[in-house]
Amino acid sequence: RRQRDELIKLPTTRQAQYSRLVTNREAAAKKKFLDKFEISKANISGIGPAKKSMLESYGIETAADISRNAVLNVPGFGPALTSRLMDWRRKVEARFHFDPNAGVDPKDVADLDQRMVQQKRDLEVALRKGAAELHQIRNTILSRRQALEGPMRVAAHAAAQADADMRALQ
């Protein structure tokens, strides 16, 4: 039932997720902009190739990946180097200009639609599998019932005979 309801609500779910894309399009555009600026190609005072490799090994590769907590978790990065990275990110970020008339990135919409298609497929497979499982359970119940029918008749007959014998003795 839950999966059936999910399948029925899929268009509403898609619309809600699309609305989130519209609402968050500035943040998404900023992230894409910052992702274009690789730390390995940047000239940041005190951060040479070794430090850049260390950042990269911790998943901090572009300006979009930089946050104070993430950088402070990298060995060898204290408050001074972290501040330099944060300053570099702010300078890069200052060059970002959001176009409020820009729509949602078509790639993001395509990704959303692909996720919805996959979710629909998964739900349909689960529903078909559920129907097959129910059919199998029904067959198992019928076969067990049939297997118990003979012994049950014998037991019922024995109970009826015992009841008749008891009445005869009274």
Side-chain angles (χ1 to χ4, degrees):
R1 181 167 280 151
R2 180 189 58 77
Q3 290 166 331
R4 179 189 65 100
D5 291 345
E6 256 185 79
L7 185 62
I8 290 169
K9 292 177 184 173
L10 214 51
T12 305
T13 302
R14 190 243 182 237
Q15 185 56 44
Q17 291 183 12
Y18 180 79
S19 293
R20 265 187 245 119
L21 285 177
V22 170
T23 302
N24 298 327
R25 69 186 195 276
E26 182 174 2
K30 184 183 285 185
K31 182 178 179 344
K32 285 181 183 163
F33 175 80
L34 292 173
D35 265 338
K36 294 176 186 175
F37 295 88
E38 297 176 11
I39 296 169
S40 63
K41 296 178 182 174
N43 186 12
I44 305 167
S45 175
I47 301 175
K51 294 283 188 193
K52 290 176 182 180
S53 291
M54 184 63 85
L55 286 168
E56 189 174 331
S57 72
Y58 277 76
I60 303 171
E61 300 174 11
T62 69
D65 300 326
I66 296 173
S67 73
R68 184 164 301 284
N69 288 338
V71 175
L72 285 172
N73 285 326
V74 178
F77 282 83
L81 288 179
T82 300
S83 289
R84 289 181 191 161
L85 272 172
M86 295 299 295
D87 290 343
W88 176 74
R89 178 194 160 110
R90 276 191 285 280
K91 287 176 188 172
V92 170
E93 204 170 19
R95 298 190 327 219
F96 172 73
H97 297 289
F98 177 66
D99 177 6
N101 297 320
V104 176
D105 185 339
K107 183 187 178 310
D108 291 341
V109 176
D111 289 347
L112 170 62
D113 288 338
Q114 184 60 39
R115 283 194 314 274
M116 292 293 107
V117 165
Q118 186 59 49
Q119 190 173 355
K120 181 180 180 189
R121 268 191 221 126
D122 293 346
L123 289 168
E124 288 172 343
V125 165
L127 288 170
R128 277 191 219 100
K129 183 179 175 186
E133 286 175 9
L134 286 174
H135 188 69
Q136 183 179 8
I137 290 168
R138 177 187 173 274
N139 289 341
T140 301
I141 290 170
L142 289 175
S143 110
R144 286 182 183 169
R145 184 186 296 162
Q146 192 174 26
L148 291 173
E149 197 170 321
M152 196 167 77
R153 284 183 199 272
V154 170
H157 178 63
Q161 184 63 50
D163 190 40
D165 290 346
M166 194 162 117
R167 273 193 229 133
L169 291 173
Q170 290 177 346

